[in-house]
Amino acid sequence: MSILIDSKTRVIVQGITGNEGLFHTTQMHAYGTNIVGGVTPGKGGEWVLNDKVPVFDSVKLAAEATGANCSVIFVPAKFAPDAMFEAADAGIPLIVCITEGVAVQDMMRVRNYLDQKRVRLIGPNCPGMLTPGQSKVGIIPGNIAIPGNVGVVSRSGTLTYEVLYAMMNLGLGASTCVGIGGDPVNGTNFIDVLEMFQHDVQTEKVVLIGEIGGTDEEKAAEYIAKEMTKPVVAFIAGQTAPPGKRMGHAGAIIEGGAGTAADKVRALEAARVKVARHPEEIAQLLK
Amino acid sequence: MKLHEYQSKYIFSKYGIPIPKGRVAATAEAAKQIAQELGGRVVIKAQVLVGGRGKAGGVKVAKDPAEAEQLATQILSLEIKGLPVRKVLVDEAAAIQTEIYFAITNDRAARRPVMIASAAGGVDIEEVAHTNPEKIIKVHIDPLLGLRDYQTRDIAAGIDLPRELWREFNSIAQALWKVYNENDATLAEINPLIINTSGKLVALDGKMMIDDNALFRHIDLAEIRDIDEEAPAEIEARKYGLSYIKLDGTIGCMVNGAGLAMTTMDIVKLFGGEPANFLDVGGGAGAEKVAAAMKIILTDSNVKAVLFNIFGGITRCDEVARGILAAIDEVKPQVPMIVRLVGTNAEEGRRLLADANMITAETLVDAAQKAVQAANKK
């Protein structure tokens, strides 16, 4: 078992004929992801990947024709909110938005709308998900992780790769890796994913990768202390980040003194979470 | 992106929020001229994009145009938190009866905008929030419904605003919501919103921050960005789509991804070094971007070593290696370079760099230790 995605997940790609979209569709398909179609308005009827994957004009048409139950979004930031609304209105239950740089007020509207529809959104500004050996939805390189029993949830991108890679080098595999994204307003938070890992029979241990800004890690610590029986190892990026500076991720802003790395480490350690000092140590602490 | 007080108040007034009469001046003579036009007492306010300007002597009251000129001269020679004062706002002085704090910002935990008001305006609102949280009224706004009139009445009642001002307060609150909403602000703040001695509400001060990710639909706002207030290297970085922040250490860092960039800084520190900067070259960094990044890092004369940490996913390590080589060719750096390439096309990348006299590392720990060692040797 895994969480959210497996080999049966039927995936469509929004923005499939764009540069990024096409590149990563090729990668996902090569990995074994069940890519059933794509959407680019105005290019319905075309085919990509040597005529293996059909392109539709809308998510609704793609969903009707393919029975897709997951959509991954690779459209530019100014069109991404519309893409998320469209996927939700077409009845797609799981939306993964890779796009970086979506305006925060747009995200507040998207999130409040999607909550009413009970749609699960991962991202935006995230690397997506990987269930090693079965399916990858997003941009996580497939060759840096092996199947296993460690659930990984992260707010970061390349830092997550670093951790998966260090785990693989020690022979440790992942059940599913979920990149929830670094934006201040996103679709899925740590607690949502921790809860899924807690109930997933394959997952025996969990890695949480956080960073400065917001209070999601603190809330996750509360949840871990109260609800989780599986051991959790964590890492928090941004110990040396100067306060009040924007560090590329909109989320990485220290707000009103709360959300510093030290606060987060303290909260997690109080919940009996082992906190690593650097990414390679995470893998060692899992042993 | 932060806006100056005069820019924020100009936007407020366009939406119908009452502000004092006044104009911005870049010279003391111009300040005197404005004071003459306004007549009576005026306030001279430094326009810098940092807080605490009052305490730094950047806000003064003048009784006549001559004093306005004299005070403007003083304030225009100030440096507040490292930023020289280049402009002053000259406003007619207000007769204050009551000061109110009033703002809208994003509440990321609630995933909604929140309107915040307090009768304890004018003073340090964060202190009030800390010591007397009950004095702060917060009302969340549904982004799909907008601000409703009943909500502004709840706020007015919550801060004990006299009933005869509720209607006027509602129109200011609705205007502030529009300011926030239509300009993609992450903050629209009036501190203080005053009741003057004639019983009218006036926004004496204004502060706005605009979401950089939304500037594509606010070309007019993007154009008024005050680049005088930013470090030149940070402006240069933005041109290339790089995210760069200068710090005080000696080890320059170039990394792909914000989380990994912060982690690289942390691990440098963990092994006894001090990072000279945060630099995220972003995903899919091509050779040109990498070269620009290296040039920016090396403009900082504190840099004694440069650490490259690239985890290739979308970013291809051979591309990055070519960028490094091109930059070395152009900049001819005199400091040691430590490179760690992992992931997509890493071997090809390492092969390209083998001849360039660079120190290579396998793991992150190894890379950080080598960088610290190299920086200390110099």
Side-chain angles (χ1 to χ4, degrees):
Chain A
M1 278 245 306
S2 57
I3 65 165
L4 293 163
I5 54 164
D6 59 27
S7 56
K8 294 189 198 72
T9 307
R10 298 174 67 78
V11 181
I12 55 168
V13 179
Q14 285 176 261
I16 194 165
T17 57
N19 259 344
E20 294 248 314
L22 194 56
F23 175 78
H24 288 291
T25 302
T26 311
Q27 301 279 320
M28 287 189 281
H29 185 265
Y31 192 76
T33 305
N34 189 13
I35 303 277
V36 296
V39 177
T40 297
K43 297 204 172 171
E46 294 183 14
W47 292 73
V48 295
L49 264 58
N50 300 322
D51 295 343
K52 286 199 221 54
V53 178
V55 180
F56 299 87
D57 277 323
S58 73
V59 179
K60 189 164 177 282
L61 291 171
E64 281 168 1
T66 65
N69 56 10
C70 175
S71 179
V72 57
I73 296 174
F74 285 99
V75 307
K78 61 166 107 167
F79 308 119
D82 199 59
M84 288 184 264
F85 285 128
E86 187 186 354
D89 281 345
I92 302 287
L94 176 62
I95 303 170
V96 184
C97 184
I98 306 301
T99 309
E100 181 179 351
V102 180
V104 65
Q105 288 202 29
D106 281 334
M107 271 320 298
M108 291 195 285
R109 285 184 282 268
V110 167
R111 179 63 203 265
N112 279 271
Y113 185 71
L114 264 53
D115 281 354
Q116 294 168 11
K117 296 237 160 190
R118 298 177 178 277
V119 168
R120 164 76 55 205
L121 169 69
I122 306 288
N125 188 16
C126 79
M129 294 180 283
L130 174 67
T131 293
Q134 294 196 49
S135 183
K136 79 167 187 144
V137 177
I139 62 175
I140 301 174
N143 58 354
I144 57 165
I146 50 175
N149 303 322
V150 181
V152 179
V153 58
S154 173
R155 265 171 77 185
S156 182
T158 46
L159 174 56
T160 315
Y161 310 166
E162 189 77 65
V163 173
L164 288 172
Y165 183 71
M167 282 169 52
M168 183 176 76
N169 287 340
L170 288 183
L172 292 164
S175 51
T176 299
C177 172
V178 184
I180 58 174
D183 278 2
V185 177
N186 60 9
T188 295
N189 61 27
F190 282 126
I191 294 179
D192 300 325
V193 182
L194 289 173
E195 200 172 1
M196 289 182 237
F197 281 139
Q198 173 65 25
H199 294 115
D200 174 44
V201 289
Q202 186 190 331
T203 303
E204 287 171 9
K205 293 174 184 177
V206 176
V207 169
L208 180 152
I209 304 163
E211 59 185 39
I212 52 168
T215 51
D216 265 14
E217 290 80 0
E218 285 87 335
K219 286 186 194 138
E222 274 175 44
Y223 174 82
I224 292 166
K226 254 199 243 150
E227 307 285 344
M228 282 196 75
T229 55
K230 298 178 182 177
V232 180
V233 174
F235 175 75
I236 304 294
Q239 316 264 353
T240 49
K245 284 279 191 177
R246 184 184 159 136
M247 306 298 259
H249 282 203
I253 297 169
I254 299 182
E255 294 159 323
T260 65
D263 288 340
K264 292 175 190 299
V265 170
R266 216 175 299 125
L268 287 162
E269 284 181 338
R272 279 171 283 115
V273 172
K274 287 189 214 160
V275 182
R277 293 170 307 155
H278 55 81
E280 284 150 0
E281 199 178 60
I282 295 174
Q284 291 153 18
L285 290 176
L286 284 168
K287 276 275 178 180
Chain B
M1 166 184 148
K2 289 179 186 170
L3 297 188
H4 282 294
E5 176 194 0
Y6 74 92
Q7 297 168 327
S8 307
K9 274 155 71 173
Y10 174 68
I11 293 171
F12 290 175
S13 73
K14 277 202 300 187
Y15 284 83
I17 297 173
I19 59 166
K21 278 198 195 111
R23 276 200 347 254
V24 72
T27 64
E29 298 77 62
K32 181 185 175 188
Q33 175 70 33
I34 296 165
Q36 249 156 7
E37 286 167 25
L38 292 171
R41 294 186 331 134
V42 294
V43 192
I44 319 279
K45 305 168 93 177
Q47 301 295 293
V48 278
L49 295 176
V50 288
R53 60 185 178 161
K55 283 176 196 147
V59 180
K60 295 267 166 67
V61 179
K63 59 182 185 308
D64 55 39
E67 195 184 13
E69 182 177 22
Q70 182 205 334
L71 290 173
T73 308
Q74 267 178 34
I75 293 172
L76 284 166
S77 66
L78 286 178
E79 204 171 84
I80 299 176
K81 293 184 184 163
L83 292 174
V85 179
R86 294 173 210 265
K87 289 185 195 122
V88 290
L89 177 63
V90 184
D91 265 358
E92 62 182 1
I96 300 169
Q97 193 190 123
T98 308
E99 293 185 297
I100 296 161
Y101 176 88
F102 194 34
I104 304 182
T105 189
N106 302 335
D107 184 342
R108 61 191 285 172
R111 300 175 202 98
R112 289 178 172 210
V114 60
M115 190 164 244
I116 306 165
S118 174
V123 292
D124 192 345
I125 194 67
E126 287 175 34
E127 184 61 27
V128 176
H130 194 65
T131 53
N132 298 85
E134 76 286 352
K135 288 192 174 166
I136 310 261
I137 308 296
K138 291 183 196 166
V139 171
H140 286 98
I141 301 167
D142 185 325
L144 302 171
L145 286 180
L147 179 69
R148 313 308 307 181
D149 287 347
Y150 80 87
Q151 296 182 296
T152 76
R153 288 194 296 272
D154 285 352
I155 296 169
I159 59 170
D160 292 324
L161 194 74
R163 282 208 173 96
E164 61 272 21
L165 287 175
W166 284 14
R167 195 178 292 253
E168 197 179 321
F169 180 76
N170 178 55
S171 62
I172 291 176
Q174 290 293 356
L176 194 67
W177 162 249
K178 273 199 185 132
V179 165
Y180 166 90
N181 192 243
E182 292 178 7
N183 295 286
D184 275 287
T186 54
L187 173 74
E189 181 187 79
I190 307 175
N191 186 29
L193 173 69
I194 63 153
I195 307 175
N196 65 18
T197 45
S198 321
K200 292 281 179 201
L201 289 165
V202 181
L204 272 207
D205 199 351
K207 191 180 281 180
M208 282 179 74
M209 289 174 71
I210 308 294
D211 182 356
D212 285 338
N213 287 337
L215 285 178
F216 70 88
R217 56 187 169 215
H218 303 289
I219 306 299
D220 50 330
L221 291 176
E223 276 171 1
I224 61 170
R225 183 191 283 265
D226 189 347
I227 54 171
D228 284 348
E229 302 268 323
E230 295 174 39
E234 292 176 18
I235 300 166
E236 183 70 12
R238 197 171 48 234
K239 270 205 302 209
Y240 289 92
L242 305 164
S243 182
Y244 170 87
I245 294 165
K246 192 193 167 317
L247 302 169
D248 298 326
T250 57
I251 299 175
C253 300
M254 185 170 107
V255 189
N256 62 329
L260 190 56
M262 286 194 283
T263 302
T264 306
M265 289 157 55
D266 292 350
I267 198 164
V268 161
K269 178 117 175 162
L270 183 66
F271 288 103
E274 286 290 339
N277 65 274
F278 164 91
L279 193 150
D280 172 12
V281 289
E288 193 197 354
K289 224 169 152 187
V290 172
M294 194 198 286
K295 273 185 253 171
I296 288 164
I297 291 173
L298 291 171
T299 54
D300 177 357
S301 58
N302 291 336
V303 170
K304 299 280 181 277
V306 181
L307 169 56
F308 300 89
N309 183 25
I310 302 295
F311 202 109
I314 336 171
T315 307
R316 289 163 39 204
C317 292
D318 58 326
E319 271 274 311
V320 173
R322 282 192 191 92
I324 294 174
L325 290 175
I328 287 178
D329 214 37
E330 201 182 324
V331 190
K332 310 238 182 306
Q334 302 301 310
V335 298
M337 308 252 171
I338 298 87
V339 189
R340 173 177 180 254
L341 299 175
V342 187
T344 311
N345 298 1
E347 265 170 48
E348 172 74 3
R350 279 195 290 262
R351 197 186 56 74
L352 285 166
L353 293 175
D355 304 328
N357 197 22
M358 302 184 85
I359 304 165
T360 57
E362 285 291 316
T363 66
L364 193 44
V365 170
D366 185 31
Q369 284 173 331
K370 282 177 173 160
V372 172
Q373 209 179 17
N376 290 344
K377 214 184 280 174
K378 263 262 162 170

CSV table of all heavy atoms in Angstrom, one decimal, chain B residues 236-263:
chain,number,residue,atom,x,y,z
B,236,GLU,N,20.0,43.1,-9.4
B,236,GLU,CA,20.7,42.4,-10.4
B,236,GLU,C,20.2,41.0,-10.5
B,236,GLU,O,19.9,40.4,-11.5
B,236,GLU,CB,22.2,42.5,-10.2
B,236,GLU,CG,23.0,41.8,-11.3
B,236,GLU,CD,23.0,42.6,-12.6
B,236,GLU,OE1,22.6,43.8,-12.6
B,236,GLU,OE2,23.5,42.0,-13.6
B,237,ALA,N,20.1,40.4,-9.3
B,237,ALA,CA,19.6,39.0,-9.2
B,237,ALA,C,18.2,38.8,-9.7
B,237,ALA,O,17.9,37.9,-10.5
B,237,ALA,CB,19.7,38.5,-7.7
B,238,ARG,N,17.4,39.8,-9.4
B,238,ARG,CA,16.0,39.6,-9.8
B,238,ARG,C,15.9,39.7,-11.4
B,238,ARG,O,15.0,39.0,-11.9
B,238,ARG,CB,15.1,40.7,-9.2
B,238,ARG,CG,13.6,40.4,-9.3
B,238,ARG,CD,12.8,41.4,-8.5
B,238,ARG,NE,13.1,42.8,-8.8
B,238,ARG,CZ,13.4,43.6,-7.8
B,238,ARG,NH1,13.4,43.3,-6.6
B,238,ARG,NH2,13.6,44.9,-8.1
B,239,LYS,N,16.8,40.4,-12.0
B,239,LYS,CA,16.8,40.5,-13.5
B,239,LYS,C,16.9,39.1,-14.1
B,239,LYS,O,16.4,38.8,-15.2
B,239,LYS,CB,17.9,41.4,-13.9
B,239,LYS,CG,17.5,42.8,-14.1
B,239,LYS,CD,18.4,43.6,-15.1
B,239,LYS,CE,19.9,43.6,-14.7
B,239,LYS,NZ,20.7,44.7,-15.2
B,240,TYR,N,17.7,38.3,-13.4
B,240,TYR,CA,18.0,36.9,-13.9
B,240,TYR,C,17.1,35.9,-13.3
B,240,TYR,O,17.4,34.7,-13.5
B,240,TYR,CB,19.5,36.6,-13.7
B,240,TYR,CG,20.4,37.3,-14.6
B,240,TYR,CD1,21.0,38.5,-14.1
B,240,TYR,CD2,20.7,36.9,-15.9
B,240,TYR,CE1,21.8,39.3,-14.9
B,240,TYR,CE2,21.6,37.6,-16.7
B,240,TYR,CZ,22.1,38.8,-16.2
B,240,TYR,OH,23.0,39.5,-17.0
B,241,GLY,N,16.1,36.3,-12.6
B,241,GLY,CA,15.2,35.3,-12.0
B,241,GLY,C,15.9,34.5,-10.8
B,241,GLY,O,15.5,33.4,-10.5
B,242,LEU,N,16.9,35.1,-10.2
B,242,LEU,CA,17.6,34.5,-9.1
B,242,LEU,C,17.1,35.1,-7.8
B,242,LEU,O,16.6,36.2,-7.8
B,242,LEU,CB,19.1,34.8,-9.2
B,242,LEU,CG,19.8,34.4,-10.4
B,242,LEU,CD1,21.2,35.1,-10.5
B,242,LEU,CD2,20.0,32.9,-10.5
B,243,SER,N,17.1,34.3,-6.8
B,243,SER,CA,16.7,34.8,-5.5
B,243,SER,C,18.0,34.9,-4.6
B,243,SER,O,18.6,33.9,-4.3
B,243,SER,CB,15.7,33.9,-4.9
B,243,SER,OG,15.2,34.3,-3.7
B,244,TYR,N,18.4,36.2,-4.3
B,244,TYR,CA,19.7,36.4,-3.6
B,244,TYR,C,19.5,37.3,-2.5
B,244,TYR,O,18.8,38.3,-2.6
B,244,TYR,CB,20.7,37.0,-4.6
B,244,TYR,CG,21.9,37.6,-4.0
B,244,TYR,CD1,23.0,36.7,-3.8
B,244,TYR,CD2,22.1,38.9,-3.6
B,244,TYR,CE1,24.2,37.2,-3.3
B,244,TYR,CE2,23.3,39.3,-3.0
B,244,TYR,CZ,24.3,38.5,-2.9
B,244,TYR,OH,25.5,38.9,-2.3
B,245,ILE,N,20.0,36.9,-1.3
B,245,ILE,CA,20.0,37.8,-0.2
B,245,ILE,C,21.4,37.8,0.4
B,245,ILE,O,22.0,36.8,0.7
B,245,ILE,CB,19.0,37.4,0.9
B,245,ILE,CG1,17.6,37.5,0.4
B,245,ILE,CG2,19.2,38.2,2.2
B,245,ILE,CD1,16.6,36.8,1.2
B,246,LYS,N,22.0,39.0,0.6
B,246,LYS,CA,23.4,39.1,1.1
B,246,LYS,C,23.3,38.9,2.6
B,246,LYS,O,22.5,39.5,3.3
B,246,LYS,CB,23.9,40.5,0.7
B,246,LYS,CG,25.4,40.6,1.0
B,246,LYS,CD,25.9,42.1,0.9
B,246,LYS,CE,27.3,42.2,1.5
B,246,LYS,NZ,27.6,41.5,2.7
B,247,LEU,N,24.3,38.2,3.1
B,247,LEU,CA,24.5,38.0,4.5
B,247,LEU,C,25.9,38.5,4.9
B,247,LEU,O,26.6,39.0,4.0
B,247,LEU,CB,24.2,36.6,4.9
B,247,LEU,CG,22.8,36.0,4.5
B,247,LEU,CD1,22.8,34.5,4.7
B,247,LEU,CD2,21.8,36.7,5.4
B,248,ASP,N,26.3,38.2,6.1
B,248,ASP,CA,27.6,38.8,6.6
B,248,ASP,C,28.8,37.9,6.6
B,248,ASP,O,29.9,38.3,7.0
B,248,ASP,CB,27.4,39.4,8.0
B,248,ASP,CG,26.4,40.5,8.0
B,248,ASP,OD1,26.3,41.2,6.9
B,248,ASP,OD2,25.7,40.7,8.9
B,249,GLY,N,28.6,36.6,6.2
B,249,GLY,CA,29.7,35.6,6.3
B,249,GLY,C,30.7,35.6,5.2
B,249,GLY,O,30.7,36.6,4.4
B,250,THR,N,31.5,34.6,5.1
B,250,THR,CA,32.6,34.5,4.1
B,250,THR,C,32.4,33.4,3.0
B,250,THR,O,33.2,33.3,2.1
B,250,THR,CB,33.9,34.3,4.8
B,250,THR,OG1,33.8,33.0,5.5
B,250,THR,CG2,34.3,35.4,5.8
B,251,ILE,N,31.4,32.6,3.2
B,251,ILE,CA,31.3,31.5,2.3
B,251,ILE,C,30.1,31.7,1.3
B,251,ILE,O,28.9,31.7,1.8
B,251,ILE,CB,31.1,30.1,3.0
B,251,ILE,CG1,32.4,29.8,3.8
B,251,ILE,CG2,30.9,29.0,2.0
B,251,ILE,CD1,32.4,28.6,4.7
B,252,GLY,N,30.4,32.0,0.1
B,252,GLY,CA,29.3,32.2,-0.9
B,252,GLY,C,28.7,30.9,-1.2
B,252,GLY,O,29.3,29.9,-1.3
B,253,CYS,N,27.3,30.9,-1.4
B,253,CYS,CA,26.6,29.7,-1.6
B,253,CYS,C,25.8,29.8,-2.9
B,253,CYS,O,25.1,30.8,-3.1
B,253,CYS,CB,25.7,29.3,-0.5
B,253,CYS,SG,26.5,29.1,1.1
B,254,MET,N,25.9,28.8,-3.8
B,254,MET,CA,25.0,28.8,-4.9
B,254,MET,C,24.3,27.4,-5.0
B,254,MET,O,24.9,26.4,-5.1
B,254,MET,CB,25.7,29.0,-6.2
B,254,MET,CG,24.8,29.1,-7.4
B,254,MET,SD,25.7,29.7,-8.8
B,254,MET,CE,25.7,28.2,-9.7
B,255,VAL,N,23.0,27.4,-4.8
B,255,VAL,CA,22.2,26.2,-4.6
B,255,VAL,C,21.0,26.3,-5.5
B,255,VAL,O,20.5,27.4,-5.8
B,255,VAL,CB,21.8,26.0,-3.1
B,255,VAL,CG1,21.2,24.7,-2.9
B,255,VAL,CG2,23.0,26.3,-2.2
B,256,ASN,N,20.4,25.1,-5.9
B,256,ASN,CA,19.2,25.1,-6.6
B,256,ASN,C,18.1,24.7,-5.6
B,256,ASN,O,18.1,23.6,-5.0
B,256,ASN,CB,19.2,24.3,-7.9
B,256,ASN,CG,19.4,22.8,-7.6
B,256,ASN,OD1,20.1,22.5,-6.6
B,256,ASN,ND2,18.9,21.9,-8.4
B,257,GLY,N,17.1,25.5,-5.5
B,257,GLY,CA,16.0,25.3,-4.6
B,257,GLY,C,16.1,26.1,-3.3
B,257,GLY,O,17.2,26.1,-2.7
B,258,ALA,N,15.1,26.7,-2.8
B,258,ALA,CA,15.1,27.5,-1.6
B,258,ALA,C,15.4,26.7,-0.3
B,258,ALA,O,16.2,27.1,0.5
B,258,ALA,CB,13.9,28.4,-1.4
B,259,GLY,N,14.7,25.6,-0.2
B,259,GLY,CA,14.9,24.8,1.0
B,259,GLY,C,16.3,24.2,1.1
B,259,GLY,O,16.9,24.3,2.1
B,260,LEU,N,16.8,23.8,0.0
B,260,LEU,CA,18.2,23.2,-0.1
B,260,LEU,C,19.2,24.3,0.1
B,260,LEU,O,20.2,24.1,0.8
B,260,LEU,CB,18.4,22.5,-1.4
B,260,LEU,CG,19.7,21.6,-1.4
B,260,LEU,CD1,19.8,20.6,-0.3
B,260,LEU,CD2,19.9,20.9,-2.7
B,261,ALA,N,18.9,25.5,-0.4
B,261,ALA,CA,19.8,26.7,-0.2
B,261,ALA,C,19.9,27.0,1.3
B,261,ALA,O,21.0,27.3,1.8
B,261,ALA,CB,19.3,27.9,-1.0
B,262,MET,N,18.8,27.1,2.0
B,262,MET,CA,18.8,27.4,3.4
B,262,MET,C,19.5,26.3,4.1
B,262,MET,O,20.3,26.5,5.1
B,262,MET,CB,17.3,27.5,3.9
B,262,MET,CG,16.7,28.8,3.5
B,262,MET,SD,15.2,29.1,4.4
B,262,MET,CE,14.0,28.0,3.7
B,263,THR,N,19.3,25.0,3.7
B,263,THR,CA,20.0,23.9,4.4
B,263,THR,C,21.5,24.0,4.2
B,263,THR,O,22.2,23.7,5.1
B,263,THR,CB,19.4,22.6,3.8
B,263,THR,OG1,18.0,22.5,4.0
B,263,THR,CG2,20.1,21.4,4.5
